[in-house]
Amino acid sequence: MPPNSASQDPPAHHAESLARALRASDDEQLLELLRLRPDLATPPPTDAAVLANRAMARASVARACEDLDSFTLTALEALVLLDADEHEVTVRRLAEFLGQDVTEQQVISRLEVLRARALVWGGQDSLRMVSTVRETTRAQPGGLGAPAADLSEQRAHELLGELDDEERRVVDKLAGASPLGRTGEVRRDAKRGERPTPIQRLLDRGLLLRRDEETVELPRQLGLAARGPQHPMGEVETAEPTLELTEHGQERIDGAASGELLELNRHVELLLDSWGQDPPDVLRSGGIAVRDVRRTAKELNITESRAALLAELVVAAGLVDTSGEEDPQWVPTVRADTWLACSPEQRWSALAASWLDLPRLPGLMGARDERGRLLGPLSEGLRRPNAAGERRRVLELLDEQPSGHGVRRDADVAAVLAWRAPRRGGSLRDETVHWTLSEGITLGVVAAGGLTSGGRALLAGDENAASEVMGRAIPDPVDHVLVQADLTIVAPGRLEPELAGEMGLVADVESAGSATVYRISEASVRRALDAGRSSEQLHELFRTRSRTPIPQGLSYLIDDTARRHGRLRAGTASSFLRCEDPVVLTEVLGRSDLGGLALRRIAPTVLISPLPLEELVDELRAAGYSPVAEGTDGGVLDLRPSARRIRGRGRYGGRPADPSGPGHPNEQQLAERVRTLRAGDQAANVRGNTLAPEKGRPSANATLELLRDAARNGRSVWLGFVDTQGGSTQRIVQPVSVGSGVLQGFDTSREELGNFPLHRITSVAVVEG
């Protein structure tokens, strides 16, 4: 495109033009620039010229464009096509180039966004753009191709009118979203007597440009002519897509999430119990083996994908960590015991908060990396530094919606986020949206397409408030069960902790959900008896806790199991076996398959064995007997192995860093940067009228003489010095006194009296006038 007006600033002075605009900005505008582009503030810029040069750096410009929405990026691409980095452009011309559907007011609002980031500067009739923006835009800005040499806009319109229908269809297609087309006709000429194809005719006339052996490109002039003056930039999306919402009510959303919350807690508890007894190995390349994931899924009666997600969660929350051994394993930590002792809502908040800040993408599990290796749970290949930020973007969009409303489709969320920041998220942007919403449902952070009350509190950074609001959504625990005639037990809700523990001991979970179904068997009753419960205690448990009559079959099962349970008494001798019925012991001695126990009778009712007590009991149970372990006091010993625990390293990464990134200055530091910058500009303005400037670091005597003379004569001095953070800065100071190694003077940039240690001063000059 030809320039709109003559350039007032030669390209060599492009940075100086931006520097002048920055000097003319007020302090709040500079603060906002440093907030939006925190990389410009580190190290502290000494003056506007330094800041302008940083703002034009290609990498910094690319970062500054990452959060721009689709409309703003389109406006920026339009400035590229209008050569705003070489010539001044008016707002009216920019609005016209964006198309008839775009108003000047809409353009002005987008320009304010670009000005705030120092990507654009100038007034309504003198817009300028940072030159490196051109290097960070896509190869075909606005979906237009490269300009053809010696082809004017007027001639392009004339040629367009000369095209036949076939040729015009080709041009119209390439004038759409992309000017590039792939075809095999680039190298092929029409045979004698054969009519050339439309592409061949356009190539012959120079209306298509050859890019390689299979690619053609529509010249920019012809693309603009095909689009017409009403839509030079094509279809411009000036507003983000609209989300379709369904109103559910916040209470319903929280209620649905409470069920997922309880199920999540139950599965994590089972996983900790399983891995505490039999920890899976850490793979040599990191992560956990597929066979261990399958084993865990089978034990917990869940899908492998859910088991893999649980593995990520428990490690993220610090409940599981790698043991520091030669052959490391994934072992529960002491933090797991604290978690198990917490209330359901506190358990949930610890898991959900860890997931929210997790710098990994569990959704990638099962995919392959660039080397073709399978990405498994807890593997290093799942790490993505921007994962937590992208996860928050999805949830923050839900947080913007009215309370109690949910989105209908994941694709709608992806479309809105794609419009808000087309350059963010990379190739996994849409998949990340789906993974976040799916995992959010599993975590009880999202339900029915809406954000739960707990999820809103977590986004605000208040973990305690999150657990409190979800605690109110969880149904009150019930203190009873319903025993069925088929020896199943129905828990009509979340059981009280004590009752839940007893049910888990005497029965096995058959199905879980809002109403958990347990099944009682001989093995489960024996497990309760092994743990020290008596038959009378089991009868009492069901008699007092069941709201339905106790079936006779259950009473018979308990009594029959208890009658056979403990007839054999095992102890340590290394171990012993005793029974009041000598015939039973004789039977045991006579079994050839028990010869490995090396049993020996020492009395009619006592046998001894060199094997450990646990092994003796296990072998007898495998042979069909029901021995019980006996302690030194004659009481029953619980031989169930204790869960293994390690210290661990705590929660994965803790709270997230400042969104601007690690090491970026806070508000107070940014304000200090602006003051330093102002002082540097002031110093730059007066440095040409100085007396006796010193080269490099001044000597102590010279510095003292210069400063004392300035104090006596009421002159200001320009100081270059190193602050307490090690950053170089410049100030204009009016000395008041010099002594004890300190200059006391009035800092003109801060308008306050300050102390400047002499040993930190690196350069000094007296300012004239």
Side-chain angles (χ1 to χ4, degrees):
M1 295 294 296
N4 297 81
S5 61
S7 173
Q8 295 182 356
D9 294 307
H13 300 300
H14 197 68
E16 178 54 31
S17 176
L18 176 57
R20 288 199 300 270
L22 293 174
R23 291 189 193 101
S25 303
D26 58 37
D27 288 357
E28 185 52 44
Q29 289 172 326
L30 289 176
L31 271 174
E32 182 64 12
L33 170 61
L34 297 183
R35 291 190 196 106
L36 294 171
R37 299 178 65 177
D39 58 301
L40 301 183
T42 305
T46 54
D47 55 31
V50 172
L51 183 62
N53 280 308
R54 288 186 191 173
M56 296 178 65
R58 186 181 186 280
S60 180
V61 169
R63 283 193 293 269
C65 293
E66 283 184 354
D67 290 325
L68 297 180
D69 61 50
S70 180
F71 184 25
T72 307
L73 284 174
T74 301
L76 199 59
E77 290 189 355
L79 288 171
V80 171
L81 294 169
L82 291 171
D83 297 327
D85 53 340
E86 300 176 3
H87 313 284
E88 291 180 347
V89 175
T90 66
V91 171
R92 175 171 295 181
R93 178 66 183 116
L94 176 59
E96 291 173 352
F97 196 72
L98 286 169
Q100 65 175 6
D101 299 327
V102 179
T103 66
E104 280 194 36
Q105 192 57 46
Q106 289 175 318
V107 173
I108 290 172
S109 69
R110 295 302 92 196
L111 288 174
E112 288 305 312
V113 174
L114 296 173
R115 282 195 184 96
R117 288 167 169 77
L119 298 172
V120 166
W121 71 95
Q124 293 255 111
D125 297 325
S126 58
L127 292 176
R128 295 299 302 274
M129 177 190 71
V130 169
S131 58
T132 42
V133 167
R134 184 180 296 275
E135 301 172 24
T136 62
T137 56
R138 52 181 172 161
Q140 293 84 33
L144 293 168
D150 302 326
L151 180 60
S152 66
E153 289 188 30
Q154 181 179 354
R155 181 55 181 158
H157 282 282
E158 293 173 355
L159 291 172
L160 191 67
E162 298 173 3
L163 301 180
D164 61 30
D165 291 343
E166 290 180 326
E167 294 167 345
R168 183 59 190 262
R169 280 195 292 271
V170 172
V171 170
D172 287 342
K173 182 176 181 180
L174 295 178
S178 173
L180 300 178
R182 293 182 63 83
T183 175
E185 301 178 27
V186 178
R187 294 172 296 172
R188 183 165 61 86
D189 296 325
K191 297 178 180 179
R192 179 176 297 179
E194 182 182 64
R195 185 170 183 265
T197 66
I199 291 177
Q200 290 170 336
R201 297 198 297 272
L202 291 171
L203 284 169
D204 292 340
R205 296 167 64 185
L207 300 184
L208 284 182
L209 307 176
R210 290 179 170 88
R211 287 299 170 226
D212 58 38
E213 294 183 347
E214 294 183 344
T215 307
V216 295
E217 182 176 2
L218 186 70
R220 181 179 302 175
Q221 297 93 327
L222 200 58
L224 288 170
R227 289 180 178 180
Q230 296 178 335
H231 298 96
M233 290 292 290
E235 294 297 327
V236 178
E237 296 179 281
T238 59
E240 68 180 38
T242 303
L243 285 175
E244 290 189 34
L245 303 177
T246 302
E247 184 175 3
H248 301 290
Q250 194 61 47
E251 186 176 349
R252 180 181 174 187
I253 290 177
D254 291 347
S258 68
E260 294 290 345
L261 178 157
L262 295 172
E263 192 72 348
L264 173 69
N265 285 345
R266 186 178 73 86
H267 287 154
V268 170
E269 184 176 350
L270 291 174
L271 183 144
L272 293 175
D273 180 65
S274 173
W275 288 13
Q277 304 297 335
D278 187 11
D281 295 328
V282 178
L283 294 179
R284 184 174 302 175
S285 58
I288 180 175
V290 174
R291 65 176 181 276
D292 290 317
V293 174
R294 290 173 178 168
R295 172 178 64 85
T296 301
K298 185 176 181 180
E299 289 180 0
L300 275 58
N301 194 25
I302 56 177
T303 63
E304 292 180 20
S305 60
R306 185 177 178 93
L309 177 59
L310 291 179
E312 289 282 342
L313 289 176
V314 294
V315 172
L319 307 183
V320 169
D321 208 338
T322 57
S323 59
E325 303 169 350
E326 185 176 346
D327 297 318
Q329 295 177 307
W330 295 104
V331 183
T333 67
V334 292
R335 187 185 179 95
D337 294 321
T338 304
W339 183 86
L340 290 167
C342 290
S343 63
E345 60 271 20
Q346 290 172 328
R347 292 183 179 186
W348 167 81
S349 64
L351 295 170
S354 300
W355 168 75
L356 190 62
D357 303 331
L358 183 64
R360 299 167 59 79
L361 282 181
L364 279 173
M365 290 183 290
R368 294 188 179 274
D369 62 13
E370 60 278 1
R371 297 182 180 180
R373 296 174 300 189
L374 193 67
L375 296 176
L378 304 176
S379 65
E380 191 62 24
L382 299 185
R383 181 178 293 276
R384 295 292 188 278
N386 63 342
E390 294 303 309
R391 191 175 294 121
R392 284 179 174 273
R393 286 186 68 221
V394 177
L395 299 178
E396 284 166 357
L397 177 56
L398 299 185
D399 192 25
E400 295 173 11
Q401 311 313 311
S403 177
H405 289 69
V407 296
R408 291 189 176 183
R409 293 178 294 272
D410 293 3
D412 292 347
V413 177
V416 171
L417 294 178
W419 185 91
R420 289 185 177 184
R423 295 193 180 185
R424 285 189 60 172
S427 60
L428 297 174
R429 182 183 61 204
D430 294 351
E431 289 86 346
T432 300
V433 172
H434 173 71
W435 294 334
T436 298
L437 294 175
S438 177
E439 293 166 12
I441 292 172
T442 301
L443 269 291
V445 174
V446 176
L451 199 62
T452 65
S453 299
R456 294 182 192 276
L458 283 177
L459 278 179
D462 195 338
E463 197 171 320
N464 292 330
S467 61
E468 182 180 342
V469 294
M470 291 308 292
R472 292 195 292 267
I474 300 174
D476 293 332
V478 297
D479 60 355
H480 63 278
V481 294
L482 307 174
V483 180
Q484 309 294 308
D486 60 352
L487 298 186
T488 58
I489 303 172
V490 177
R494 177 171 63 99
L495 296 178
E496 292 178 342
E498 181 184 355
L499 179 56
E502 292 299 314
M503 286 297 106
L505 189 63
V506 76
D508 299 309
V509 175
E510 192 166 81
S511 65
S514 56
T516 303
V517 178
Y518 297 87
R519 178 166 295 279
I520 298 182
S521 63
E522 180 180 344
S524 66
V525 172
R526 187 167 60 240
R527 182 175 64 228
L529 295 172
D530 287 343
R533 305 296 188 273
S534 65
S535 60
E536 291 76 12
Q537 289 174 318
L538 295 182
H539 284 304
E540 179 69 14
L541 171 66
F542 293 116
R543 185 166 53 250
T544 58
R545 295 290 191 152
S546 176
R547 292 288 178 86
T548 55
I550 307 302
Q552 194 173 42
L554 176 58
S555 299
Y556 285 162
L557 176 63
I558 294 173
D559 290 338
D560 186 55
T561 305
R563 201 167 29 249
R564 291 181 287 108
H565 184 268
R567 293 180 67 188
L568 295 177
R569 312 293 287 184
T572 55
S574 297
S575 57
F576 67 85
L577 195 64
R578 70 181 183 87
C579 181
E580 297 302 326
D581 188 350
V583 175
V584 175
L585 294 180
T586 302
E587 178 187 336
V588 171
L589 279 173
R591 292 188 54 164
S592 58
D593 57 333
L594 296 178
L597 299 180
L599 293 167
R600 181 168 61 89
R601 191 191 294 267
I602 60 172
T605 58
V606 180
L607 302 179
I608 61 173
S609 171
L611 299 181
L613 178 59
E614 293 85 352
E615 187 174 343
L616 175 63
V617 172
D618 289 343
E619 290 289 339
L620 289 170
R621 286 175 177 169
Y625 295 97
S626 301
V628 63
E630 186 176 74
T632 56
D633 59 354
V636 175
L637 283 178
D638 187 353
L639 294 181
R640 291 178 299 173
S642 59
R644 184 178 170 189
R645 293 290 185 265
I646 59 174
R647 182 171 296 277
R649 291 168 288 186
R651 183 180 289 186
Y652 208 151
R655 295 293 304 159
D658 186 277
S660 60
H664 287 122
N666 55 33
E667 281 294 309
Q668 181 179 356
Q669 292 169 326
L670 289 179
E672 174 68 21
R673 302 291 200 271
V674 172
R675 286 193 291 267
T676 300
L677 189 147
R678 292 298 192 197
D681 286 338
Q682 187 179 3
N685 289 334
V686 302
R687 206 178 306 167
N689 300 319
T690 59
L691 294 174
E694 298 194 26
K695 303 294 184 181
R697 185 178 182 86
S699 66
N701 290 334
T703 299
L704 283 172
E705 285 299 321
L706 199 62
L707 294 176
R708 284 171 178 166
D709 182 71
R712 284 192 299 267
N713 296 305
R715 288 175 172 173
S716 296
V717 295
W718 173 84
L719 295 181
F721 71 100
V722 178
D723 59 24
T724 55
Q725 286 77 38
S728 298
T729 185
Q730 301 168 338
R731 299 287 168 79
I732 300 295
V733 178
Q734 295 177 352
V736 175
S737 64
V738 182
S740 302
V742 175
L743 163 67
Q744 186 180 49
F746 185 77
D747 186 340
T748 58
S749 63
R750 301 188 180 199
E751 297 184 349
E752 63 181 20
L753 196 66
N755 294 323
F756 303 89
L758 296 180
H759 69 277
R760 291 187 176 274
I761 296 175
T762 59
S763 53
V764 60
V766 179
V767 179
E768 278 189 340

